[in-house]
Amino acid sequence: MGGQFARRARAAASGVIADDIRAAVRDVPNFPKPGIVFKDITPVLANPRLFRGAVSLMARAIARYQPDEIVAIESRGFLLGAPVADALGLPLQLVRKPGKLPYKTAGYDYQLEYGSDRLEIHIDAIARGQRVAIVDDLLATGGTAAATAKLVEQQGGEVACCAFLIELAFLDGRHSLARWPVERVVEF
């Protein structure tokens, strides 16, 4: 009976923290270009309680999938991926734009709405069969996360889950990630 009460209390506390995180995210109109409303997470990062809460909620969600390592997507994904990896006692690997990683890389080219892009990872970052949790700050259309997942698979890894601080549900990024489990802390 006591364990059930403790689980409900933790779940209620998690809901409060998620609501506080959602309230702290700042809308910045017309950034980075006209018509875009940017979801700014810097107020969450500036509040130690909210930042710890975000990391804790993400780590708890990811732990259920039992990954072997965390792969964080450039650049705001690094801000969350590093403390999540630390909280779970897992290695952290970085996915970056071309030319940003110092060692030999493997890459994945993918299409954007208006052009193409490329992501890279160190060639020794993922061992065959390793379960990987992909971490980023925001799920919008899902293109970058899907490209990261395909890069992980190209390297012989298995995508355990994709986890985000924020999901912009109206953009239906989950559709692009339908092959993999998706977790998020807050939804807009």
Side-chain angles (χ1 to χ4, degrees), residues 61-73 84-85 88 90-95 121-122 124-136 145 147-163 179-183:
I62 289 168
R64 293 193 303 261
Y65 297 95
Q66 301 177 344
D68 299 310
E69 67 182 354
I70 302 296
V71 168
I73 301 173
V84 165
L88 295 173
L90 296 175
L92 174 68
Q93 301 296 341
L94 306 179
V95 167
I121 193 167
H122 282 141
D124 59 355
I126 299 171
R128 184 157 300 285
Q130 268 191 316
R131 292 177 50 76
V132 171
I134 296 170
V135 172
D136 204 358
T148 300
K150 291 171 185 172
L151 178 58
V152 165
E153 291 178 341
Q154 176 184 290
Q155 297 306 300
E158 176 187 336
V159 177
C161 69
C162 300
R179 291 180 40 206
W180 308 283
V182 175
E183 296 286 338

Side-chain angles (χ1 to χ4, degrees), residues 33-165:
K33 60 185 181 180
I36 303 289
V37 178
F38 184 80
K39 296 295 185 187
D40 180 11
I41 66 168
T42 59
V44 175
L45 301 174
N47 181 316
R49 181 182 74 85
L50 294 181
F51 187 39
R52 272 192 310 275
V55 169
S56 177
L57 290 171
M58 290 184 80
R60 190 178 314 155
I62 289 168
R64 293 193 303 261
Y65 297 95
Q66 301 177 344
D68 299 310
E69 67 182 354
I70 302 296
V71 168
I73 301 173
E74 183 176 317
S75 69
R76 289 180 304 271
F78 298 171
L79 299 171
L80 296 161
V84 165
D86 181 60
L88 295 173
L90 296 175
L92 174 68
Q93 301 296 341
L94 306 179
V95 167
R96 300 203 66 187
K97 302 279 184 180
K100 300 286 187 176
L101 292 169
Y103 188 61
K104 297 176 199 161
T105 61
Y108 185 82
D109 296 305
Y110 64 106
Q111 293 302 307
L112 298 168
E113 191 173 342
Y114 300 104
S116 63
D117 213 343
R118 179 177 175 84
L119 296 173
E120 295 182 343
I121 193 167
H122 282 141
I123 59 169
D124 59 355
I126 299 171
R128 184 157 300 285
Q130 268 191 316
R131 292 177 50 76
V132 171
I134 296 170
V135 172
D136 204 358
D137 68 318
L138 181 86
L139 173 58
T141 63
T144 302
T148 300
K150 291 171 185 172
L151 178 58
V152 165
E153 291 178 341
Q154 176 184 290
Q155 297 306 300
E158 176 187 336
V159 177
C161 69
C162 300
F164 306 90
L165 177 62

Side-chain angles (χ1 to χ4, degrees), residues 16-26 44 50 185-188:
V16 169
I17 291 293
D19 288 345
D20 291 346
I21 291 168
R22 188 177 201 285
V25 173
R26 176 173 39 210
V44 175
L50 294 181
V185 174
V186 297
E187 177 182 320
F188 287 92

